[in-house]
Short mmCIF file of all heavy atoms in Angstrom, two decimals:
data_model
loop_
_atom_site.label_atom_id
_atom_site.label_comp_id
_atom_site.label_asym_id
_atom_site.label_seq_id
_atom_site.Cartn_x
_atom_site.Cartn_y
_atom_site.Cartn_z
N MET A 1 -101.01 177.04 10.20
CA MET A 1 -101.41 177.86 11.33
C MET A 1 -102.89 178.19 11.19
O MET A 1 -103.40 178.23 10.09
CB MET A 1 -100.61 179.17 11.35
CG MET A 1 -99.13 179.00 11.57
SD MET A 1 -98.29 180.59 11.59
CE MET A 1 -98.23 180.95 9.85
N SER A 2 -103.52 178.42 12.33
CA SER A 2 -104.92 178.85 12.30
C SER A 2 -105.08 180.10 13.15
O SER A 2 -104.31 180.34 14.07
CB SER A 2 -105.84 177.74 12.81
OG SER A 2 -105.61 177.48 14.17
N THR A 3 -106.09 180.88 12.80
CA THR A 3 -106.38 182.08 13.59
C THR A 3 -107.88 182.19 13.81
O THR A 3 -108.66 182.28 12.86
CB THR A 3 -105.83 183.36 12.91
OG1 THR A 3 -106.32 184.48 13.64
CG2 THR A 3 -106.22 183.47 11.48
N TYR A 4 -108.26 182.12 15.06
CA TYR A 4 -109.66 182.17 15.45
C TYR A 4 -110.29 183.53 15.10
O TYR A 4 -111.36 183.59 14.52
CB TYR A 4 -109.78 181.90 16.95
CG TYR A 4 -111.17 182.01 17.49
CD1 TYR A 4 -112.06 180.95 17.35
CD2 TYR A 4 -111.61 183.16 18.14
CE1 TYR A 4 -113.35 181.03 17.85
CE2 TYR A 4 -112.89 183.25 18.65
CZ TYR A 4 -113.75 182.19 18.49
OH TYR A 4 -115.03 182.27 18.97
N GLN A 5 -109.60 184.61 15.44
CA GLN A 5 -110.16 185.94 15.24
C GLN A 5 -110.41 186.26 13.77
O GLN A 5 -111.43 186.83 13.40
CB GLN A 5 -109.24 187.02 15.83
CG GLN A 5 -109.19 187.03 17.33
CD GLN A 5 -108.20 186.00 17.88
OE1 GLN A 5 -107.55 185.29 17.14
NE2 GLN A 5 -108.12 185.93 19.20
N ALA A 6 -109.48 185.91 12.89
CA ALA A 6 -109.63 186.21 11.47
C ALA A 6 -110.37 185.09 10.72
O ALA A 6 -110.76 185.28 9.58
CB ALA A 6 -108.26 186.43 10.83
N GLY A 7 -110.55 183.93 11.36
CA GLY A 7 -111.25 182.83 10.71
C GLY A 7 -110.52 182.28 9.51
O GLY A 7 -111.13 182.00 8.49
N LYS A 8 -109.20 182.12 9.65
CA LYS A 8 -108.41 181.66 8.52
C LYS A 8 -107.42 180.59 8.94
O LYS A 8 -106.97 180.52 10.08
CB LYS A 8 -107.64 182.82 7.90
CG LYS A 8 -108.57 183.83 7.28
CD LYS A 8 -107.84 184.88 6.53
CE LYS A 8 -108.91 185.71 5.88
NZ LYS A 8 -108.72 187.01 5.64
N VAL A 9 -107.10 179.74 7.97
CA VAL A 9 -105.99 178.81 8.09
C VAL A 9 -104.91 179.31 7.14
O VAL A 9 -105.21 179.66 5.99
CB VAL A 9 -106.42 177.37 7.75
CG1 VAL A 9 -105.23 176.44 7.68
CG2 VAL A 9 -107.43 176.87 8.78
N ILE A 10 -103.69 179.36 7.62
CA ILE A 10 -102.59 179.89 6.83
C ILE A 10 -101.64 178.76 6.50
O ILE A 10 -101.09 178.11 7.39
CB ILE A 10 -101.84 180.99 7.62
CG1 ILE A 10 -102.84 182.06 8.09
CG2 ILE A 10 -100.73 181.60 6.77
CD1 ILE A 10 -102.35 182.85 9.27
N PHE A 11 -101.47 178.52 5.21
CA PHE A 11 -100.55 177.50 4.74
C PHE A 11 -99.21 178.17 4.44
O PHE A 11 -99.17 179.21 3.79
CB PHE A 11 -101.09 176.82 3.48
CG PHE A 11 -102.35 176.06 3.75
CD1 PHE A 11 -103.59 176.67 3.62
CD2 PHE A 11 -102.31 174.74 4.15
CE1 PHE A 11 -104.76 175.99 3.88
CE2 PHE A 11 -103.48 174.03 4.42
CZ PHE A 11 -104.71 174.66 4.28
N VAL A 12 -98.14 177.59 4.93
CA VAL A 12 -96.81 178.17 4.79
C VAL A 12 -95.91 177.14 4.11
O VAL A 12 -95.91 175.97 4.48
CB VAL A 12 -96.22 178.53 6.17
CG1 VAL A 12 -94.84 179.14 6.03
CG2 VAL A 12 -97.15 179.47 6.92
N GLN A 13 -95.15 177.60 3.11
CA GLN A 13 -94.22 176.70 2.43
C GLN A 13 -92.98 177.46 2.01
O GLN A 13 -93.02 178.67 1.81
CB GLN A 13 -94.87 176.04 1.21
CG GLN A 13 -95.08 176.99 0.04
CD GLN A 13 -95.69 176.30 -1.17
OE1 GLN A 13 -96.46 175.36 -1.03
NE2 GLN A 13 -95.35 176.74 -2.34
N ALA A 14 -91.90 176.72 1.87
CA ALA A 14 -90.66 177.31 1.35
C ALA A 14 -90.82 177.54 -0.14
O ALA A 14 -91.41 176.72 -0.85
CB ALA A 14 -89.49 176.38 1.62
N ASP A 15 -90.32 178.66 -0.61
CA ASP A 15 -90.35 179.00 -2.04
C ASP A 15 -88.96 179.52 -2.40
O ASP A 15 -88.74 180.73 -2.41
CB ASP A 15 -91.43 180.04 -2.30
CG ASP A 15 -91.65 180.32 -3.78
OD1 ASP A 15 -91.03 179.62 -4.61
OD2 ASP A 15 -92.42 181.24 -4.10
N GLY A 16 -88.05 178.59 -2.62
CA GLY A 16 -86.66 178.97 -2.84
C GLY A 16 -86.09 179.51 -1.55
O GLY A 16 -86.13 178.85 -0.52
N ASP A 17 -85.61 180.74 -1.55
CA ASP A 17 -85.08 181.36 -0.34
C ASP A 17 -86.10 182.27 0.35
O ASP A 17 -85.76 183.06 1.22
CB ASP A 17 -83.79 182.14 -0.65
CG ASP A 17 -84.03 183.26 -1.66
OD1 ASP A 17 -85.11 183.30 -2.27
OD2 ASP A 17 -83.13 184.09 -1.84
N ARG A 18 -87.38 182.14 -0.05
CA ARG A 18 -88.45 182.95 0.54
C ARG A 18 -89.49 182.05 1.20
O ARG A 18 -89.49 180.85 1.03
CB ARG A 18 -89.14 183.78 -0.54
CG ARG A 18 -88.20 184.72 -1.25
CD ARG A 18 -88.86 185.51 -2.34
NE ARG A 18 -90.00 184.82 -2.95
CZ ARG A 18 -90.92 185.41 -3.67
NH1 ARG A 18 -90.85 186.70 -3.90
NH2 ARG A 18 -91.91 184.74 -4.20
N VAL A 19 -90.40 182.68 1.93
CA VAL A 19 -91.54 181.98 2.52
C VAL A 19 -92.79 182.39 1.77
O VAL A 19 -93.02 183.57 1.52
CB VAL A 19 -91.68 182.33 4.02
CG1 VAL A 19 -92.95 181.73 4.59
CG2 VAL A 19 -90.46 181.85 4.79
N ASN A 20 -93.59 181.41 1.39
CA ASN A 20 -94.83 181.66 0.67
C ASN A 20 -95.99 181.31 1.59
O ASN A 20 -95.97 180.29 2.26
CB ASN A 20 -94.86 180.79 -0.60
CG ASN A 20 -96.08 181.04 -1.44
OD1 ASN A 20 -97.20 181.08 -0.94
ND2 ASN A 20 -95.88 181.18 -2.72
N THR A 21 -97.01 182.16 1.64
CA THR A 21 -98.19 181.89 2.44
C THR A 21 -99.45 181.90 1.58
O THR A 21 -99.52 182.58 0.56
CB THR A 21 -98.35 182.95 3.56
OG1 THR A 21 -98.42 184.24 2.97
CG2 THR A 21 -97.21 182.88 4.55
N HIS A 22 -100.42 181.11 2.00
CA HIS A 22 -101.71 181.04 1.32
C HIS A 22 -102.78 181.02 2.41
O HIS A 22 -102.70 180.22 3.34
CB HIS A 22 -101.80 179.78 0.46
CG HIS A 22 -103.09 179.66 -0.27
ND1 HIS A 22 -103.40 180.42 -1.38
CD2 HIS A 22 -104.16 178.88 -0.05
CE1 HIS A 22 -104.61 180.11 -1.80
NE2 HIS A 22 -105.09 179.17 -1.02
N PHE A 23 -103.76 181.90 2.32
CA PHE A 23 -104.81 182.04 3.33
C PHE A 23 -106.11 181.42 2.83
O PHE A 23 -106.54 181.70 1.71
CB PHE A 23 -105.06 183.51 3.64
CG PHE A 23 -103.88 184.19 4.27
CD1 PHE A 23 -102.81 184.62 3.50
CD2 PHE A 23 -103.84 184.40 5.63
CE1 PHE A 23 -101.72 185.25 4.08
CE2 PHE A 23 -102.77 185.03 6.23
CZ PHE A 23 -101.70 185.45 5.45
N CYS A 24 -106.73 180.57 3.66
CA CYS A 24 -108.04 179.98 3.35
C CYS A 24 -109.00 180.30 4.49
O CYS A 24 -108.63 180.22 5.67
CB CYS A 24 -107.92 178.47 3.21
SG CYS A 24 -107.01 177.97 1.76
N VAL A 25 -110.24 180.62 4.14
CA VAL A 25 -111.24 180.97 5.14
C VAL A 25 -111.89 179.71 5.70
O VAL A 25 -112.39 178.87 4.96
CB VAL A 25 -112.32 181.90 4.54
CG1 VAL A 25 -113.42 182.16 5.54
CG2 VAL A 25 -111.69 183.19 4.05
N PHE A 26 -111.83 179.57 7.03
CA PHE A 26 -112.53 178.55 7.78
C PHE A 26 -113.11 179.28 8.99
O PHE A 26 -112.36 179.70 9.87
CB PHE A 26 -111.59 177.42 8.24
CG PHE A 26 -111.21 176.49 7.15
CD1 PHE A 26 -110.09 176.73 6.38
CD2 PHE A 26 -111.97 175.35 6.89
CE1 PHE A 26 -109.72 175.86 5.37
CE2 PHE A 26 -111.61 174.48 5.88
CZ PHE A 26 -110.48 174.74 5.12
N PRO A 27 -114.43 179.47 9.05
CA PRO A 27 -115.03 180.26 10.12
C PRO A 27 -114.58 179.80 11.52
O PRO A 27 -114.74 178.65 11.87
CB PRO A 27 -116.52 180.05 9.92
CG PRO A 27 -116.67 179.71 8.47
CD PRO A 27 -115.42 178.93 8.14
N LYS A 28 -113.98 180.72 12.25
CA LYS A 28 -113.53 180.49 13.62
C LYS A 28 -112.64 179.25 13.73
O LYS A 28 -112.85 178.40 14.59
CB LYS A 28 -114.71 180.41 14.57
CG LYS A 28 -115.48 181.72 14.60
CD LYS A 28 -116.58 181.69 15.62
CE LYS A 28 -117.30 183.03 15.59
NZ LYS A 28 -118.43 183.08 16.48
N ALA A 29 -111.65 179.16 12.87
CA ALA A 29 -110.69 178.04 12.91
C ALA A 29 -109.95 178.08 14.23
O ALA A 29 -109.26 179.04 14.55
CB ALA A 29 -109.73 178.15 11.74
N MET A 30 -110.11 177.03 15.04
CA MET A 30 -109.55 177.02 16.38
C MET A 30 -108.29 176.17 16.49
O MET A 30 -107.56 176.27 17.46
CB MET A 30 -110.60 176.54 17.37
CG MET A 30 -111.82 177.43 17.37
SD MET A 30 -113.12 176.81 18.41
CE MET A 30 -112.54 177.34 20.00
N GLY A 31 -108.06 175.29 15.56
CA GLY A 31 -106.88 174.44 15.62
C GLY A 31 -106.87 173.45 14.48
O GLY A 31 -107.87 173.29 13.77
N LEU A 32 -105.73 172.81 14.29
CA LEU A 32 -105.63 171.84 13.21
C LEU A 32 -104.61 170.76 13.54
O LEU A 32 -103.73 170.95 14.38
CB LEU A 32 -105.30 172.52 11.89
CG LEU A 32 -104.00 173.30 11.76
CD1 LEU A 32 -102.87 172.41 11.30
CD2 LEU A 32 -104.20 174.42 10.76
N ALA A 33 -104.77 169.65 12.87
CA ALA A 33 -103.82 168.54 12.93
C ALA A 33 -103.62 168.09 11.50
O ALA A 33 -104.58 167.99 10.73
CB ALA A 33 -104.37 167.40 13.78
N ALA A 34 -102.38 167.85 11.12
CA ALA A 34 -102.12 167.51 9.71
C ALA A 34 -100.90 166.61 9.58
O ALA A 34 -99.98 166.65 10.40
CB ALA A 34 -101.91 168.78 8.90
N ASP A 35 -100.92 165.82 8.53
CA ASP A 35 -99.75 165.11 8.05
C ASP A 35 -99.80 165.18 6.53
O ASP A 35 -100.59 165.95 5.98
CB ASP A 35 -99.68 163.68 8.59
CG ASP A 35 -100.87 162.80 8.19
OD1 ASP A 35 -101.52 163.08 7.16
OD2 ASP A 35 -101.13 161.83 8.90
N HIS A 36 -98.98 164.41 5.84
CA HIS A 36 -98.93 164.54 4.39
C HIS A 36 -100.20 164.03 3.70
O HIS A 36 -100.47 164.37 2.56
CB HIS A 36 -97.71 163.83 3.83
CG HIS A 36 -97.45 164.15 2.40
ND1 HIS A 36 -97.06 165.42 1.99
CD2 HIS A 36 -97.57 163.42 1.27
CE1 HIS A 36 -96.94 165.43 0.67
NE2 HIS A 36 -97.23 164.23 0.21
N GLU A 37 -101.01 163.22 4.38
CA GLU A 37 -102.20 162.65 3.75
C GLU A 37 -103.51 163.29 4.21
O GLU A 37 -104.47 163.32 3.44
CB GLU A 37 -102.26 161.15 4.01
CG GLU A 37 -101.13 160.39 3.33
CD GLU A 37 -101.25 158.90 3.54
OE1 GLU A 37 -102.36 158.42 3.82
OE2 GLU A 37 -100.23 158.22 3.41
N ASN A 38 -103.58 163.74 5.44
CA ASN A 38 -104.84 164.23 6.01
C ASN A 38 -104.65 165.54 6.76
O ASN A 38 -103.57 165.82 7.27
CB ASN A 38 -105.43 163.21 6.99
CG ASN A 38 -105.70 161.89 6.32
OD1 ASN A 38 -106.60 161.80 5.50
ND2 ASN A 38 -104.94 160.87 6.67
N MET A 39 -105.74 166.29 6.84
CA MET A 39 -105.75 167.51 7.65
C MET A 39 -107.14 167.63 8.27
O MET A 39 -108.15 167.47 7.59
CB MET A 39 -105.47 168.74 6.79
CG MET A 39 -105.43 170.02 7.59
SD MET A 39 -105.13 171.49 6.59
CE MET A 39 -103.62 171.05 5.79
N ASP A 40 -107.18 167.87 9.58
CA ASP A 40 -108.42 168.12 10.29
C ASP A 40 -108.35 169.53 10.85
O ASP A 40 -107.36 169.92 11.47
CB ASP A 40 -108.61 167.13 11.44
CG ASP A 40 -108.76 165.70 10.95
OD1 ASP A 40 -109.16 165.50 9.79
OD2 ASP A 40 -108.49 164.78 11.73
N ILE A 41 -109.42 170.30 10.62
CA ILE A 41 -109.49 171.68 11.10
C ILE A 41 -110.72 171.80 11.98
O ILE A 41 -111.83 171.52 11.54
CB ILE A 41 -109.57 172.67 9.93
CG1 ILE A 41 -108.35 172.52 9.02
CG2 ILE A 41 -109.70 174.11 10.45
CD1 ILE A 41 -108.43 173.28 7.72
N GLY A 42 -110.51 172.21 13.23
CA GLY A 42 -111.60 172.35 14.17
C GLY A 42 -112.10 173.78 14.23
O GLY A 42 -111.32 174.72 14.24
N SER A 43 -113.42 173.93 14.22
CA SER A 43 -114.04 175.24 14.40
C SER A 43 -115.04 175.13 15.55
O SER A 43 -115.15 174.08 16.18
CB SER A 43 -114.74 175.70 13.12
OG SER A 43 -115.87 174.90 12.85
N THR A 44 -115.76 176.19 15.83
CA THR A 44 -116.67 176.15 16.97
C THR A 44 -117.84 175.18 16.76
O THR A 44 -118.37 174.66 17.72
CB THR A 44 -117.25 177.55 17.25
OG1 THR A 44 -117.86 178.04 16.07
CG2 THR A 44 -116.20 178.48 17.74
N LEU A 45 -118.25 174.94 15.52
CA LEU A 45 -119.42 174.11 15.28
C LEU A 45 -119.16 172.81 14.53
O LEU A 45 -120.04 171.97 14.44
CB LEU A 45 -120.47 174.92 14.49
CG LEU A 45 -120.98 176.17 15.19
CD1 LEU A 45 -121.92 176.94 14.28
CD2 LEU A 45 -121.66 175.82 16.51
N GLN A 46 -117.97 172.65 13.97
CA GLN A 46 -117.71 171.44 13.18
C GLN A 46 -116.23 171.17 13.05
O GLN A 46 -115.40 172.01 13.35
CB GLN A 46 -118.35 171.56 11.80
CG GLN A 46 -117.90 172.74 10.99
CD GLN A 46 -118.81 172.98 9.79
OE1 GLN A 46 -119.64 172.17 9.46
NE2 GLN A 46 -118.63 174.10 9.15
N ILE A 47 -115.93 169.96 12.58
CA ILE A 47 -114.56 169.58 12.26
C ILE A 47 -114.51 169.28 10.77
O ILE A 47 -115.30 168.48 10.26
CB ILE A 47 -114.11 168.35 13.06
CG1 ILE A 47 -114.10 168.69 14.55
CG2 ILE A 47 -112.73 167.89 12.60
CD1 ILE A 47 -113.84 167.52 15.46
N TRP A 48 -113.62 169.94 10.08
CA TRP A 48 -113.42 169.71 8.65
C TRP A 48 -112.36 168.63 8.49
O TRP A 48 -111.30 168.70 9.11
CB TRP A 48 -112.91 170.97 7.97
CG TRP A 48 -113.88 172.09 7.92
CD1 TRP A 48 -114.27 172.90 8.94
CD2 TRP A 48 -114.58 172.55 6.78
NE1 TRP A 48 -115.16 173.83 8.52
CE2 TRP A 48 -115.38 173.64 7.17
CE3 TRP A 48 -114.61 172.14 5.45
CZ2 TRP A 48 -116.20 174.32 6.29
CZ3 TRP A 48 -115.43 172.84 4.57
CH2 TRP A 48 -116.21 173.90 4.99
N GLN A 49 -112.63 167.64 7.65
CA GLN A 49 -111.64 166.62 7.33
C GLN A 49 -111.27 166.76 5.86
O GLN A 49 -112.14 166.70 4.98
CB GLN A 49 -112.20 165.23 7.61
CG GLN A 49 -112.48 165.02 9.08
CD GLN A 49 -113.08 163.66 9.37
OE1 GLN A 49 -113.87 163.14 8.59
NE2 GLN A 49 -112.71 163.09 10.51
N LEU A 50 -109.99 166.98 5.62
CA LEU A 50 -109.48 167.15 4.27
C LEU A 50 -108.48 166.04 3.96
O LEU A 50 -107.82 165.53 4.87
CB LEU A 50 -108.79 168.51 4.12
CG LEU A 50 -109.67 169.74 4.35
CD1 LEU A 50 -109.62 170.17 5.81
CD2 LEU A 50 -109.24 170.86 3.47
N ARG A 51 -108.37 165.69 2.68
CA ARG A 51 -107.43 164.66 2.26
C ARG A 51 -106.56 165.21 1.15
O ARG A 51 -107.04 165.89 0.25
CB ARG A 51 -108.15 163.41 1.78
CG ARG A 51 -107.17 162.34 1.31
CD ARG A 51 -107.81 161.01 1.03
NE ARG A 51 -108.18 160.26 2.20
CZ ARG A 51 -107.35 159.53 2.93
NH1 ARG A 51 -106.09 159.51 2.66
NH2 ARG A 51 -107.81 158.82 3.94
N ASN A 52 -105.27 164.90 1.21
CA ASN A 52 -104.34 165.32 0.18
C ASN A 52 -104.58 164.50 -1.10
O ASN A 52 -104.71 163.29 -1.05
CB ASN A 52 -102.90 165.11 0.66
CG ASN A 52 -101.88 165.57 -0.35
OD1 ASN A 52 -102.18 166.35 -1.24
ND2 ASN A 52 -100.66 165.11 -0.20
N VAL A 53 -104.65 165.20 -2.23
CA VAL A 53 -104.82 164.55 -3.53
C VAL A 53 -103.63 164.97 -4.40
O VAL A 53 -103.69 166.00 -5.10
CB VAL A 53 -106.17 164.93 -4.18
CG1 VAL A 53 -106.36 164.20 -5.49
CG2 VAL A 53 -107.32 164.67 -3.23
N PRO A 54 -102.52 164.22 -4.37
CA PRO A 54 -101.32 164.60 -5.10
C PRO A 54 -101.53 164.75 -6.61
O PRO A 54 -100.86 165.56 -7.25
CB PRO A 54 -100.34 163.46 -4.81
CG PRO A 54 -100.82 162.86 -3.53
CD PRO A 54 -102.32 163.02 -3.57
N ALA A 55 -102.48 164.00 -7.18
CA ALA A 55 -102.73 164.11 -8.62
C ALA A 55 -103.22 165.51 -8.99
O ALA A 55 -102.92 166.01 -10.07
CB ALA A 55 -103.76 163.06 -9.05
N VAL A 56 -103.96 166.16 -8.10
CA VAL A 56 -104.41 167.53 -8.34
C VAL A 56 -103.22 168.48 -8.22
O VAL A 56 -103.05 169.39 -9.03
CB VAL A 56 -105.54 167.92 -7.38
CG1 VAL A 56 -105.90 169.39 -7.53
CG2 VAL A 56 -106.77 167.05 -7.61
N ALA A 57 -102.40 168.29 -7.18
CA ALA A 57 -101.22 169.15 -6.99
C ALA A 57 -100.31 169.12 -8.20
O ALA A 57 -99.75 170.15 -8.59
CB ALA A 57 -100.46 168.71 -5.74
N ALA A 58 -100.17 167.96 -8.83
CA ALA A 58 -99.28 167.83 -10.00
C ALA A 58 -99.78 168.63 -11.20
O ALA A 58 -98.99 168.98 -12.08
CB ALA A 58 -99.16 166.36 -10.38
N LYS A 59 -101.08 168.96 -11.24
CA LYS A 59 -101.65 169.69 -12.37
C LYS A 59 -101.65 171.21 -12.18
O LYS A 59 -102.01 171.95 -13.08
CB LYS A 59 -103.08 169.22 -12.62
CG LYS A 59 -103.14 167.77 -13.06
CD LYS A 59 -104.57 167.32 -13.25
CE LYS A 59 -104.61 165.86 -13.64
NZ LYS A 59 -105.98 165.37 -13.79
N LEU A 60 -101.26 171.68 -10.99
CA LEU A 60 -101.27 173.12 -10.71
C LEU A 60 -100.08 173.82 -11.35
O LEU A 60 -99.00 173.24 -11.49
CB LEU A 60 -101.23 173.36 -9.21
CG LEU A 60 -102.44 172.85 -8.42
CD1 LEU A 60 -102.20 173.03 -6.94
CD2 LEU A 60 -103.71 173.56 -8.85
N ASP A 61 -100.29 175.07 -11.73
CA ASP A 61 -99.20 175.89 -12.27
C ASP A 61 -98.51 176.63 -11.14
O ASP A 61 -99.17 177.05 -10.20
CB ASP A 61 -99.74 176.91 -13.29
CG ASP A 61 -100.10 176.26 -14.61
OD1 ASP A 61 -99.43 175.28 -14.99
OD2 ASP A 61 -101.04 176.74 -15.26
N PRO A 62 -97.24 176.83 -11.23
CA PRO A 62 -96.33 176.25 -12.21
C PRO A 62 -96.04 174.78 -11.89
O PRO A 62 -96.06 174.39 -10.73
CB PRO A 62 -95.06 177.10 -12.06
CG PRO A 62 -95.10 177.64 -10.69
CD PRO A 62 -96.56 177.74 -10.31
N PRO A 63 -95.80 173.98 -12.92
CA PRO A 63 -95.57 172.55 -12.73
C PRO A 63 -94.41 172.27 -11.77
O PRO A 63 -93.40 172.95 -11.78
CB PRO A 63 -95.22 172.06 -14.14
CG PRO A 63 -95.82 173.07 -15.06
CD PRO A 63 -95.74 174.38 -14.32
N GLY A 64 -94.62 171.28 -10.90
CA GLY A 64 -93.59 170.85 -9.98
C GLY A 64 -93.42 171.70 -8.73
O GLY A 64 -92.60 171.38 -7.88
N LYS A 65 -94.20 172.74 -8.58
CA LYS A 65 -94.03 173.63 -7.43
C LYS A 65 -94.84 173.18 -6.21
O LYS A 65 -94.44 173.42 -5.08
CB LYS A 65 -94.43 175.06 -7.80
CG LYS A 65 -94.16 176.04 -6.70
CD LYS A 65 -94.36 177.46 -7.17
CE LYS A 65 -94.01 178.43 -6.06
NZ LYS A 65 -94.10 179.80 -6.51
N HIS A 66 -95.96 172.53 -6.41
CA HIS A 66 -96.85 172.15 -5.32
C HIS A 66 -96.71 170.67 -5.00
O HIS A 66 -96.79 169.83 -5.89
CB HIS A 66 -98.30 172.48 -5.69
CG HIS A 66 -98.48 173.91 -6.09
ND1 HIS A 66 -98.63 174.92 -5.17
CD2 HIS A 66 -98.50 174.50 -7.31
CE1 HIS A 66 -98.75 176.07 -5.79
NE2 HIS A 66 -98.67 175.85 -7.10
N ASP A 67 -96.52 170.36 -3.72
CA ASP A 67 -96.35 168.96 -3.33
C ASP A 67 -97.60 168.37 -2.67
O ASP A 67 -97.65 167.19 -2.38
CB ASP A 67 -95.15 168.78 -2.42
CG ASP A 67 -95.30 169.54 -1.10
OD1 ASP A 67 -96.24 170.33 -0.98
OD2 ASP A 67 -94.48 169.32 -0.22
N ALA A 68 -98.62 169.18 -2.42
CA ALA A 68 -99.85 168.71 -1.80
C ALA A 68 -101.02 169.60 -2.18
O ALA A 68 -100.84 170.78 -2.49
CB ALA A 68 -99.69 168.69 -0.28
N TYR A 69 -102.21 169.00 -2.16
CA TYR A 69 -103.44 169.74 -2.40
C TYR A 69 -104.52 169.06 -1.58
O TYR A 69 -104.92 167.93 -1.86
CB TYR A 69 -103.81 169.74 -3.89
CG TYR A 69 -104.90 170.74 -4.22
CD1 TYR A 69 -104.59 172.04 -4.54
CD2 TYR A 69 -106.23 170.36 -4.20
CE1 TYR A 69 -105.58 172.96 -4.84
CE2 TYR A 69 -107.23 171.27 -4.50
CZ TYR A 69 -106.90 172.56 -4.82
OH TYR A 69 -107.87 173.48 -5.10
N TYR A 70 -104.99 169.73 -0.54
CA TYR A 70 -105.97 169.15 0.38
C TYR A 70 -107.39 169.54 -0.04
O TYR A 70 -107.70 170.72 -0.17
CB TYR A 70 -105.70 169.63 1.80
CG TYR A 70 -104.43 169.05 2.37
CD1 TYR A 70 -103.21 169.68 2.17
CD2 TYR A 70 -104.45 167.86 3.08
CE1 TYR A 70 -102.04 169.13 2.69
CE2 TYR A 70 -103.29 167.31 3.59
CZ TYR A 70 -102.09 167.96 3.39
OH TYR A 70 -100.94 167.41 3.90
N LEU A 71 -108.23 168.54 -0.24
CA LEU A 71 -109.63 168.74 -0.60
C LEU A 71 -110.54 168.33 0.55
O LEU A 71 -110.31 167.30 1.18
CB LEU A 71 -109.99 167.91 -1.84
CG LEU A 71 -109.35 168.33 -3.14
CD1 LEU A 71 -109.63 167.31 -4.23
CD2 LEU A 71 -109.85 169.69 -3.56
N PRO A 72 -111.59 169.12 0.82
CA PRO A 72 -112.54 168.73 1.89
C PRO A 72 -113.23 167.42 1.54
O PRO A 72 -113.66 167.22 0.41
CB PRO A 72 -113.54 169.89 1.91
CG PRO A 72 -112.88 171.01 1.19
CD PRO A 72 -111.93 170.40 0.22
N ARG A 73 -113.34 166.55 2.54
CA ARG A 73 -114.03 165.27 2.37
C ARG A 73 -115.25 165.15 3.27
O ARG A 73 -116.24 164.57 2.87
CB ARG A 73 -113.07 164.11 2.64
CG ARG A 73 -111.98 164.00 1.64
CD ARG A 73 -112.56 163.71 0.29
NE ARG A 73 -111.51 163.50 -0.71
CZ ARG A 73 -111.68 163.66 -1.97
NH1 ARG A 73 -112.84 164.03 -2.45
NH2 ARG A 73 -110.70 163.46 -2.81
N GLN A 74 -115.15 165.66 4.49
CA GLN A 74 -116.27 165.59 5.42
C GLN A 74 -116.22 166.82 6.33
O GLN A 74 -115.18 167.41 6.51
CB GLN A 74 -116.18 164.35 6.30
CG GLN A 74 -116.34 163.06 5.57
CD GLN A 74 -116.31 161.88 6.53
OE1 GLN A 74 -116.78 161.99 7.67
NE2 GLN A 74 -115.78 160.78 6.09
N ARG A 75 -117.37 167.13 6.90
CA ARG A 75 -117.39 168.16 7.94
C ARG A 75 -118.54 167.88 8.87
O ARG A 75 -119.47 167.20 8.57
CB ARG A 75 -117.46 169.57 7.39
CG ARG A 75 -118.63 169.85 6.53
CD ARG A 75 -118.55 171.26 6.01
NE ARG A 75 -119.70 171.42 5.15
CZ ARG A 75 -120.37 172.52 5.02
NH1 ARG A 75 -119.99 173.59 5.64
NH2 ARG A 75 -121.39 172.59 4.22
#
């Protein structure tokens, strides 16, 4: 999800029987498109292009909990 007013992208994932959220700042995030390999985030002045790097996700703690890790590639 994205929120223009707060300038954030909100990542949502299942965590057992709960919902886990993670907030990332993207100035004036107006929308996004994503699949398992790529994510594009549009703002008022630029488009961020991110790519999933599963090798990084595999190294995050706790092990086995994260299935994706998107890193910025272009903007």
Side-chain angles (χ1 to χ4, degrees):
M1 295 181 283
S2 66
T3 172
Y4 176 81
Q5 289 84 1
K8 294 187 175 150
V9 172
I10 306 158
F11 295 90
V12 180
Q13 72 178 32
D15 187 6
D17 60 349
R18 301 178 331 163
V19 173
N20 183 313
T21 57
H22 181 75
F23 296 80
C24 291
V25 175
F26 284 90
K28 298 185 180 176
M30 300 175 80
L32 61 89
D35 61 24
H36 192 67
E37 294 183 22
N38 300 291
M39 181 181 305
D40 295 336
I41 301 170
S43 68
T44 55
L45 299 176
Q46 57 194 349
I47 297 173
W48 293 74
Q49 295 178 324
L50 299 91
R51 178 171 285 280
N52 182 19
V53 183
V56 174
K59 295 178 182 178
L60 296 174
D61 285 327
K65 186 171 183 176
H66 305 278
D67 63 350
Y69 192 88
Y70 290 88
L71 291 172
R73 293 297 184 204
Q74 294 183 33
R75 58 182 178 145

